Amino acid sequence: MTETASATTVHGAPSPPAIEIRGLSKLYGAQRALDGVDLTVAEGSIFGFLGPNGAGKTTTLRILTGLARPSAGQARILGYDVSTAAHQVRSLIGFLPDVPGFYNWMTAAELLRFSGELFGLSAPVLAERVEALLDLAGLRGVTTKIGGYSRGMRQRLGVAQALINAPRLLLLDEPTSALDPLGRRELLEMIASLAGRTTVFFSTHILADVERVCDSVAILDRGRVVVQAAIDQLKQRHGGAHRLVVEVDDTARLARALAVAPWYVGHRQEGRDVVIEVTDVDQAALGLPGLIATNGLALRRLEPQEVSLEEVFVDLVGGEQ
Amino acid sequence: MRAPGWQAFLRKEFREILHTWRLWVMPGILLFLGLSTPILTKLTPQIIKATANKTPGLVLHFPPPVARDAYLQFVGNLEQLVIIALVIVTSAAIASERRSGTAVLVLTKPLSRTGFVMVKALSQLVLLGAATLLGTLVCLGVTVAIFRSTADTGHLLAAVGAWFVFAAMMTLLTLFLSATLEGQAPAGGAGIAVWAAFLVVAAFPLIRDHSPAGLTTASDAILRGQHTALLWPIVSSLALAGLSLAGAVWTFARKEL
């Protein structure tokens, strides 16, 4: 059990990352699906794995779960190499594929029981977890066979079955992509409720979902990780701290007054708001009220504007699409 | 963490047989053949005579049917109809789990790919064995009741035994195709092509007597009391069955899902 030693926290040594990927590549014939991916996901985070369709998100997840083999590089989950310690990895993870397949003749309770039996859970533990997960998925009392479920019910059941072994790492592949707004909201709330209980690695191309539930993110584009950071840091890094939104009674006069400010870069009007690009947001926030007062303008609102993840995403990968 | 995943998966396989169409195909066909073949054998001369009587001047003479005729008809159906049904059913075993995504569901849990294939093989063979036993016993019982004769009972059991070896080999061969090819239709088509090839080469005595092809005609010969080579057809069938199972495990372990 040499693999076990590398995965265990020994005498206060830091535990291994939930996911550690180094130089991961995957070729399908001449097509390169992954091109030297490097990624580290800390244990306990809700991590968004963001990228446009075809970026390589599903391929990465298939390698992490042992469904596909890498052409080069290494992937470890909680210290275990996914290629050489597949059984240990499968015992520690829960996985929801992008289009989950179920035995349609089973009920939700039967599927959860079967999933738990594959992990060898004892009967009392299994009974308790099945009840708890049926509650979590909003499927308690549903006696219909899975074949009659809506897409939203299937996705919620998919998350529930992935949690049956109380996994240390939950891998979700595009869990909300085909859901209607209500189903999407329910599923995101379900994922958000897992914060602090397990590490969640969540692939998606829907930026709003990542902003809503994730604390960290990596952006994948054409098989490469373009950036990896905490969401707040990412927004800071990509212009979030360089804009102010101002509402005054005369925007034309404000525009003329701004031209002389040393921190001024440019501005645009959005309805009654003026969005001002600045070189230093702190300096601008200090100087702007004085400038407005000096020019006899009435200040109604002044606040920094946070850049959206969508803007960061477009900034990083959109221009090349 | 007590029971290994394969035990849970095996239980699922048997429950699936009881809950889905799988219950009705092989057991259903064999039960139907077991019931209907002796009755049809008994009634066939009367039906043909009744039809012939409508043609003036035509007189037909049939020897009275005996139990062996019913058994020959039953075994003939096993050799043709049941083998085709068997190939079609088995071709879905792995291919359909891959297509529907349920293979991903179970193989990302502590069930090895080897365990997956072995359980599939075991459940298919148990289903085949149970269906064959059911059909044969029903055929035997109905034949004895209708013809009031226990003659050729031993020949029937020997003939069905020889057929079962061939059917088990075809099951594992089709399972290999199901693990290897993309989809049930290619696997089923290839399985039927292999079976047809066995029927063709059975026309060549040297090949027939030293290959699984010998078992495609052995059951009929056993019932007719004719000499037939059994040793090499059985040995080669078991060897091919073992190779097919090993091939299915090897191929599926390397398959990307």
Side-chain angles (χ1 to χ4, degrees):
Chain A
M1 292 286 280
T2 52
E3 287 290 344
T4 310
S6 68
T8 310
T9 303
V10 183
H11 301 304
S15 60
I19 298 174
E20 191 176 15
I21 295 174
R22 293 286 167 260
L24 197 68
S25 294
K26 179 68 181 174
L27 291 163
Y28 290 107
Q31 194 187 341
R32 191 172 282 273
L34 295 178
D35 188 7
V37 169
D38 290 313
L39 186 70
T40 305
V41 177
E43 203 168 359
S45 64
I46 296 193
F47 194 98
F49 194 43
L50 195 55
N53 290 331
K57 304 183 296 292
T58 297
T59 303
T60 306
L61 278 161
R62 287 175 63 235
I63 291 173
L64 287 174
T65 51
L67 298 171
R69 285 184 304 281
S71 304
Q74 195 183 44
R76 299 179 82 84
I77 284 184
L78 296 158
Y80 293 106
D81 190 312
V82 298
S83 300
T84 58
H87 185 78
Q88 286 93 328
V89 167
R90 290 197 300 264
S91 301
L92 295 168
I93 64 167
F95 177 52
L96 173 68
D98 53 348
V99 183
F102 300 114
Y103 297 104
N104 288 333
W105 52 271
M106 288 185 180
T107 63
E110 286 170 340
L111 182 96
L112 292 178
R113 217 168 291 127
F114 166 59
S115 298
E117 284 168 359
L118 288 170
F119 285 96
L121 299 179
S122 66
V125 171
L126 189 52
E128 194 182 309
R129 286 202 190 152
V130 167
E131 291 304 311
L133 289 170
L134 285 173
D135 272 343
L136 183 72
L139 295 170
R140 180 188 279 277
V142 178
T143 53
T144 320
K145 305 283 184 197
I146 296 168
Y149 281 14
S150 68
R151 185 70 201 259
M153 291 165 87
R154 291 174 76 89
Q155 289 295 92
R156 295 202 307 274
L157 176 61
V159 176
Q161 64 78 29
L163 289 167
I164 193 72
N165 57 325
R168 283 175 64 189
L169 172 63
L170 180 63
L171 301 161
L172 307 172
D173 190 8
E174 303 266 7
T176 59
S177 59
L179 298 181
D180 61 24
L182 186 63
R184 201 173 127 211
R185 193 181 72 187
E186 286 173 352
L187 194 72
L188 288 173
E189 282 169 2
M190 193 173 164
I191 293 167
S193 74
L194 300 171
R197 286 195 274 173
T198 186
T199 309
V200 180
F201 184 79
F202 167 25
S203 91
T204 185
H205 65 273
I206 303 172
L207 299 148
D209 291 356
V210 171
E211 269 195 298
R212 193 162 163 184
V213 298
C214 298
D215 49 50
S216 301
V217 66
I219 297 178
L220 189 72
D221 184 37
R222 281 174 265 193
R224 286 172 178 267
V225 172
V226 182
V227 70
Q228 180 191 346
I231 288 182
D232 291 345
Q233 287 174 5
L234 195 64
K235 287 176 177 177
Q236 289 273 350
R237 214 186 289 167
H238 289 268
H242 296 276
R243 282 184 207 155
L244 290 169
V245 181
V246 182
E247 188 184 340
V248 292
D249 56 347
D250 186 342
T251 52
R253 199 141 39 104
L254 174 66
R256 286 194 296 276
L258 282 171
V260 298
W263 34 258
Y264 174 74
V265 175
H267 77 277
R268 67 175 187 275
Q269 188 134 3
E270 288 181 1
R272 290 191 303 179
D273 294 339
V274 179
V275 180
I276 308 168
E277 300 271 346
V278 297
T279 53
D280 185 327
V281 77
D282 293 333
Q283 209 182 7
L286 282 171
L288 196 54
L291 185 78
I292 289 168
T294 307
N295 284 275
L297 296 164
L299 177 62
R300 290 180 182 146
R301 187 159 71 95
L302 168 62
E303 60 188 39
Q305 187 188 52
E306 201 172 74
V307 71
S308 71
L309 193 54
E310 184 173 345
E311 287 171 284
V312 175
F313 184 80
V314 170
D315 187 31
L316 286 168
V317 304
E320 298 173 38
Q321 295 295 300
Chain B
M1 299 286 170
R2 298 177 312 167
W6 71 265
Q7 291 180 1
F9 192 58
L10 184 61
R11 280 195 297 276
K12 186 282 293 180
E13 280 292 299
F14 289 131
R15 286 185 58 224
E16 191 165 59
I17 289 168
L18 297 175
H19 281 87
T20 62
W21 56 271
R22 289 172 68 188
L23 179 66
W24 303 107
V25 181
M26 289 301 291
I29 288 174
L30 276 147
L31 183 62
F32 174 75
L33 292 175
L35 272 170
S36 64
T37 305
I39 298 169
L40 282 173
T41 305
K42 181 77 175 174
L43 296 178
T44 297
Q46 293 164 41
I47 294 168
I48 294 174
K49 274 180 187 167
T51 310
N53 285 342
K54 291 174 185 169
T55 310
L58 181 63
V59 180
L60 293 173
H61 293 285
F62 289 100
V66 293
R68 181 189 290 184
D69 296 326
Y71 298 149
L72 277 167
Q73 193 62 43
F74 179 69
V75 164
N77 285 327
L78 291 184
E79 287 172 339
Q80 306 279 329
L81 180 69
V82 176
I83 289 290
I84 292 171
L86 176 72
V87 168
I88 291 169
V89 169
T90 310
S91 64
I94 294 176
S96 68
E97 293 239 21
R98 282 170 58 199
R99 194 199 63 235
S100 68
T102 48
V104 168
L105 179 84
V106 296
L107 291 169
T108 49
K109 296 181 170 58
L111 172 67
S112 69
R113 293 194 185 200
T114 300
F116 183 92
V117 174
M118 295 301 278
V119 164
K120 284 286 176 189
L122 182 60
S123 64
Q124 293 293 327
L125 290 176
V126 168
L127 179 63
L128 172 68
T132 303
L133 187 66
L134 175 74
T136 306
L137 290 179
V138 168
C139 177
L140 192 63
V142 175
T143 303
V144 169
I146 289 177
F147 293 94
R148 303 195 178 283
S149 163
T150 55
D152 291 311
T153 302
H155 283 128
L156 172 69
L157 297 179
V160 171
W163 173 83
F164 184 79
V165 173
F166 182 76
M169 183 272 293
M170 283 303 298
T171 300
L172 296 178
L173 185 69
T174 310
L175 195 71
F176 164 70
L177 295 169
S178 185
T180 307
L181 301 175
E182 300 297 326
Q184 181 187 0
I192 288 174
V194 171
W195 171 64
F198 280 131
L199 294 182
V200 170
V201 299
F204 303 97
L206 187 65
I207 301 174
R208 182 190 64 208
D209 292 348
H210 295 87
S211 75
L215 294 181
T216 60
T217 54
S219 300
D220 194 81
I222 290 168
L223 274 171
R224 292 183 192 280
Q226 297 165 349
H227 171 76
T228 183
L230 279 176
L231 179 65
W232 282 109
I234 288 176
V235 169
S236 58
S237 292
L238 293 177
L240 186 55
L243 279 174
S244 298
L245 184 58
V249 168
W250 191 86
T251 308
F252 194 62
R254 279 149 190 81
K255 204 94 184 160
E256 298 210 343
L257 300 176

